Every structure is written in structure tokens, then in C-alpha cells.
Amino acid sequence: MADRAEAQRKADRIRGLREELSAPDIAEVLQLTDIQRERFDCWANTSLHSLEQQFDVDISAVQGSMSWGMRIASALCGVAFSASLVLFFQHYWGNLDILPQVLFVSAAPLALLFATEFAAKRERTLYFAGLLSLIALAAFVLNLSVLGQIFNIAPSERAFLAWGLFALILAYRYRQRIQLTIAIILLLTWACSALTAAMGHHWLDLGNRPENACLLGVAVWSVPFAIRHRQNPSFDMVYRVLGMLAFFIAITGLSEGEMVSYLPFDTNVTQAIYEILGIAAAAASIWQGVRRQWATQANLGAAFFCFLLVSRFYHWWWASMPAWLFFAIMGLFGAGVVVALKYMRRQA
Amino acid sequence: MKSLIAAAGLILVANAAALLHVAANRAGTPEAVVTLTEEQLSPVTIHESGVDLTVRWQLSKPWVSKADLEQLGFDCSVSPGTSDARVHYRRQPSRRGFVALENTPGNPELTLIAAAPTADILREKHPDPNRVLILPAILTIQGYESQLTAVVSDLPLQIHVPRPFSTQLQAHANAPYRLHLAFGQNHEPWVTGVDFPTTR
């Protein structure tokens, strides 16, 4: 068995099977003898116990709910401790000379990194390792920000690369989806800024070139095709969702706002092109999501499909028809989407 | 274990790169050395993390010509004030460049006097390093009024004052002072001294 997620799926299957076998209708069909039932219970208990010992999986519904609570609490703890670290340093660093300031901020992320490793070695569920890894990342962000402030260094996009790579390493080492999410956002910010700066503009004007974000979004979405996450199967979904969000938010900006585009056309033509491209891409992602059973992709695609289409309808008709008729058409359109999705669901 | 070493190495490399950047900025003769009075600086903000100051500056109008803007990479082909000008200039992204700020004795603010794509062009035109600061800046063209101009942002004029100078400023609260600043090879400033003249 590769990882805890796979072990959890196996435990869930065993629990489900045990519940089904105890249902009266199934019991009537199978007619298990007492010996057979005892052997099954013995096997189920041994398997679940073994999985619990080996991977610390949830072997009951109550444990599952509590695990979610622990995940949320550990994320909130990470945020709270990170804020505490930053505020603690801000409170005292005015009393320190430059050398102790530099030593403290440089040593803090290293110390927290090793603390994360220490916690990971002692805990299979990685709740505390995840929490400490978030604080280590916050300490690294504080580290470079403080160095910039102490020495009046001009802000640059390169810091996002360092923070993004650090978060990416932590995400893969400690199997943390939240770290992966942060890493992808930081690396996308860096890549957009670096491209903007390379074109001679200010790196913070990254939002003025949404086409860069579109291409980078597609690149992020494609990562699971190039890298197989056997150890962390849930990482695929993170890449797909963040890639889609980057792509569709940028497309929405291009189709709705007066953004600067690489296309050599008037604003109206550029907006129409990107609206059509956005609608087509959203339809394609719904189709692929349904086909491959990627529910999150299908839902996200449906949300952007509706948004972009409603926005197109608004541009076409809002000024030229009564409001009641416009909303009636919207209602019909919504019903049409439900019918189409129902059909695709049946086909899947 | 490899990824743990990579994460630790990344922290060390990022810190080393930042400190080397600072060393490179401060190496050799400073690019500019100026003395500013308390009038040319924002009121001392003393907070838990120390003392920060901002240098005051102003525009001299008109401070930049159409030729300067074209040299910076802006497309100035549309005449300002026409119907197309607003969209034409609004759609042009900001540009990185350098600006010259003049420190005139008695003037409560530094004055923005020129812009160019490189620092060398400006230093050649304004060679006095004790009077004119050359700083990196972000320039955004504006052309929907009667003339073309550029808005300047992101000037590195927020100065963090380290100890022992910050403690001196805190000890002489409200007293007139002079802040000695050096700007290095990367045009980034650092405080070299503070003094408190008794008479002015």
C-alpha cells in the first residue's frame, strides 16, 4: 500500500461492505452461516486494525468527522502561529541591532523546517508536521521581507520564486495540499511577474497582461499529465482546479474588462474573441470532467460556462429588451443547462 | 532526505543572495551621497519595529518631454487631447526607468527633473552626486489632458533607519536633525549618519 489516502480508501471499502452485509435484505439474499459471518467479521476487524496501526486511518464515521475537524483546526493553528511569529518579531526587532535581526530571521525558517521534519518522523497523520510546515513558510516569507526592509532592497518578483519553491518542496515532502495550493499561487505570481518584467514593464503590473496568466493556467492544469502523483493522488485535483481558476479568471478579465491584449484588434473584437474562447473552453472542461469523472473540474467548468454565457447575453440583450424578458430567457437557459448536464450524467 | 536538504539549501541560498545584493549595492564609492533635513523627510514614525522615514518629493511641471517618453518606450503617436488619446495612452502599460531628483538647499522637497531608460544617461546630464539622486522608478504615461506627461511611482524613498541612528532620533524627538544618506550601485539607500544641529 502506497500511502495513507489509499489505506483510507481500503478502510472505507471494508466498512461499507460490513454495513451492506448487515443490512436485512442483503443478509436474506446471501444467507451467511454464523461461521461465515464470524470469519468475515474477524477478517474485517483485523484488516481495519492493521490499517489503523500502519497508517492511522479512520475506521469509523465518527473518527472521519473528527479527522476533518483536526485538519481544519491544524490549518487555523498554522495561520494563528504564523501571525504570532510575525507580530512577535515586529514587536521586538526595533530593539535589536542589524546582525541579530539578520541571524534571527534567517535561522527561524531553518529551525522550523527541522521541527517539521522532527514532527513528521513521529506522527503518521502529519497534522503537526503540516502545521509546522505552514509556520516554516511564514517564517521564510518574514525572513526575506525583513531583509528587504532592513537593507531598503527594492521589492522584486524573485522572492515569490523562492517562497513558491520552498512551499512546493514542503508540499511534496509532507503531502500537504494546502502547501501545494500556496506554492502554485506563489509560482504563478512569480511567473506572471517575471514575464511582465521581461517585457520592460513593472513586475507588479502582472494583472495588465492576463494572457500570460491564461497560458500559465493551462500549463498548471497540464502538470498531472506530465507528473504522476502515485504517492499523492489528491494533488492532481489541486493542479487542475488552480490551473482552471487562473485560466478562467484571466479569460473573464479579457472578455469583460479593458485589458491590454497581445491581439492586434479593437477592444470590442478582442473581448468577443475571448468570450467565445472562454465559453468553448468551459464547455470542453465540463465534457472532459464528466468523461473522466473529475467532478470538481466539471463543476468549475459549469460555473464559468454559465457566468460567461450570462455575461454574453447581458451584452447582447440587456439594453434592447425588457428586464422581465431578459430574466425569463436566463431562466430558460438555466433549465437548458440542467437538462444538458442530466444527459451528460446519464451518458457518463 | 534530498528534499529536506533542498529546502534548507533554498533558505540559505535566498539569504546569501539577498546579502550579496546588499554588499554589491554598498561596494565601492556610493552613486550618490546626500544630506536631508527633517523638512525634507516625513515626520519620524516610531513604531515597535523601529523608525521609518519617507523622503518628500514634488514634480516640476513640465518635467518630461515627448522625446523622453518615446525614449522610455512609450508610443506617443496619438496627439494628446484628441478623442483617441484616452484609450491609446490608458492601454499602455507602465515602464521601468530612472528619474532624477534634485536636492536644492532650502527647498522642503526634492524636485523631479528628468526621466530616462538608464541611470547612465541621467548621471551624464546631472553629474553632481551630492545634489541629484538617480533612482529607479515606474513611469505611467498620461495623455488625455492637453499635454503628455508621466506619473511616477515606486520610488525607493522609504528609508528604514537602523540602530544606533534610530535610538538617536527617538532620544531627540521633535529636535531639528540632518540625515546623511548614501545610494549604492543598485540605487538603494542606507543611512550613514544623523546629526542634530543646534543652530540652523
Side-chain angles (χ1 to χ4, degrees):
Chain A
M1 189 130 342
D3 68 341
R4 186 175 179 272
E6 202 178 320
Q8 185 62 62
R9 279 193 294 276
K10 186 170 181 189
D12 291 344
R13 280 199 303 273
I14 295 170
R15 271 174 48 210
L17 184 60
R18 188 160 62 180
E19 278 167 25
E20 287 302 319
L21 286 178
S22 57
D25 50 344
I26 302 284
E28 198 179 317
V29 171
L30 291 178
Q31 301 275 329
L32 294 176
T33 61
D34 287 346
I35 294 170
Q36 284 173 321
R37 174 158 286 284
E38 260 175 39
R39 280 173 61 191
F40 171 79
D41 283 341
C42 179
W43 169 80
N45 288 336
T46 313
S47 301
L48 287 173
H49 184 69
S50 156
L51 289 170
E52 189 187 22
Q53 288 292 309
Q54 211 178 335
F55 295 98
D56 204 5
V57 296
D58 305 320
I59 56 169
S60 71
V62 177
Q63 279 188 351
S65 310
M66 289 185 74
S67 287
W68 269 106
M70 283 163 74
R71 272 186 214 120
I72 293 165
S74 112
L76 288 175
C77 258
V79 172
F81 275 126
S82 303
S84 165
L85 178 78
V86 172
L87 294 172
F88 171 79
F89 186 70
Q90 275 189 347
H91 188 76
Y92 289 107
W93 78 308
N95 301 322
L96 302 174
D97 286 327
I98 286 181
L99 184 62
Q101 284 178 343
V102 171
L103 287 176
F104 179 87
V105 290
S106 311
L110 274 175
L112 284 158
L113 175 67
F114 290 113
T116 308
E117 184 66 18
F118 180 79
K121 287 262 190 296
R122 270 150 192 78
E123 180 205 28
R124 280 158 298 166
T125 47
L126 298 175
Y127 290 119
F128 282 100
L131 189 156
L132 283 165
S133 74
L134 274 181
I135 307 171
L137 177 63
F140 190 38
V141 172
L142 177 78
N143 174 199
L144 297 189
S145 306
V146 166
L147 285 186
Q149 198 178 344
I150 292 173
F151 296 113
N152 300 308
I153 300 172
S156 129
E157 76 282 359
R158 287 188 293 271
F160 285 93
L161 175 62
W163 295 329
L165 287 175
F166 186 66
L168 195 68
I169 295 171
L170 294 181
Y172 277 88
R173 183 159 184 81
Y174 304 113
R175 298 173 189 172
Q176 299 292 315
R177 268 186 299 182
I178 189 163
Q179 285 281 10
L180 183 67
T181 306
I182 296 169
I184 293 171
I185 292 169
L186 289 168
L187 290 173
L188 269 174
T189 308
W190 166 74
C192 280
S193 310
L195 281 171
T196 309
M199 288 187 294
H201 312 306
H202 183 35
W203 67 274
L204 273 175
D205 283 346
L206 66 163
N208 285 350
R209 287 287 181 184
E211 279 138 331
N212 294 345
C214 274
L215 294 175
L216 290 166
V218 172
V220 169
W221 178 84
S222 312
V223 167
F225 294 109
I227 301 170
R228 286 189 163 268
H229 293 109
R230 285 202 186 89
Q231 298 256 316
N232 310 295
S234 59
F235 278 18
D236 287 355
M237 192 265 285
V238 178
Y239 279 104
R240 277 197 288 271
V241 166
L242 290 177
M244 282 180 74
L245 281 174
F247 177 83
F248 282 111
I249 289 171
I251 284 278
T252 306
L254 283 160
S255 60
E256 294 300 313
E258 287 184 14
M259 298 286 193
V260 182
S261 165
Y262 293 120
L263 299 182
F265 307 120
D266 284 345
T267 308
N268 290 342
V269 178
T270 306
Q271 285 179 338
I273 289 171
Y274 279 111
E275 247 170 14
I276 292 163
L277 178 67
I279 291 165
S285 43
I286 297 170
W287 173 76
Q288 193 195 35
V290 171
R291 216 183 130 159
R292 296 219 181 188
Q293 298 186 342
W294 294 340
T296 314
Q297 171 168 324
N299 292 336
L300 205 55
F304 276 102
F305 181 80
C306 293
F307 175 77
L308 289 165
L309 212 55
V310 166
S311 140
R312 186 84 300 236
F313 290 162
Y314 175 82
H315 290 308
W316 281 339
W317 298 326
W318 179 253
S320 62
M321 65 171 60
W324 65 266
L325 183 58
F326 177 81
F327 283 112
I329 292 173
M330 289 297 99
L332 282 173
F333 162 71
V337 169
V338 172
V339 170
L341 287 175
K342 264 184 93 172
Y343 174 76
M344 288 174 85
R345 188 163 151 253
R346 269 205 309 274
Q347 297 295 312
Chain B
M1 187 51 79
K2 275 183 193 165
S3 57
L4 182 67
I5 294 167
L10 187 64
I11 295 171
L12 295 174
V13 167
N15 277 278
L19 295 174
L20 283 173
H21 176 90
V22 174
N25 181 54
R26 297 186 182 188
T29 313
E31 205 278 330
V33 176
V34 290
T35 299
L36 303 176
T37 65
E38 78 282 354
E39 292 170 334
Q40 293 169 309
L41 296 153
S42 63
V44 175
T45 345
I46 302 167
H47 41 83
E48 286 172 338
S49 57
V51 173
D52 287 315
L53 296 167
T54 307
V55 179
R56 295 176 197 267
W57 60 278
Q58 63 178 6
L59 282 170
S60 67
K61 284 192 173 177
W63 73 280
V64 68
S65 68
K66 184 181 170 191
D68 293 335
L69 292 168
E70 284 175 337
Q71 198 182 21
L72 281 160
F74 292 113
D75 174 7
C76 303
S77 57
V78 175
S79 180
T82 59
S83 56
D84 297 339
R86 187 185 157 275
V87 173
H88 177 78
Y89 290 108
R90 208 181 72 78
R91 293 190 69 189
Q92 291 193 44
S94 309
R95 297 261 163 198
R96 287 182 296 172
F98 288 84
V99 294
L101 283 157
E102 190 172 29
N103 177 23
T104 317
N107 192 339
E109 288 172 322
L110 272 65
T111 312
L112 193 61
I113 52 172
T118 66
D120 293 343
I121 296 172
L122 288 174
R123 185 50 82 202
E124 205 172 299
K125 280 186 193 166
H126 308 279
D128 186 351
N130 300 119
R131 191 181 171 90
V132 176
L133 292 178
I134 309 293
L135 299 176
I138 302 304
L139 296 115
T140 310
I141 194 165
Q142 285 196 338
Y144 49 83
E145 289 174 3
S146 57
Q147 64 183 33
L148 288 173
T149 187
V151 173
V152 175
S153 57
D154 278 29
L155 285 173
L157 287 176
Q158 280 213 324
I159 317 285
H160 178 71
V161 184
R163 275 162 53 107
F165 311 121
S166 60
T167 43
Q168 290 173 20
L169 281 174
Q170 287 172 15
H172 294 78
N174 302 320
Y177 68 90
R178 287 188 308 191
L179 189 76
H180 304 284
L181 289 174
F183 287 78
Q185 311 309 314
N186 300 326
H187 309 275
E188 287 161 354
W190 73 96
V191 179
T192 56
V194 182
D195 61 53
F196 300 89
T198 47
T199 53
R200 178 70 56 82

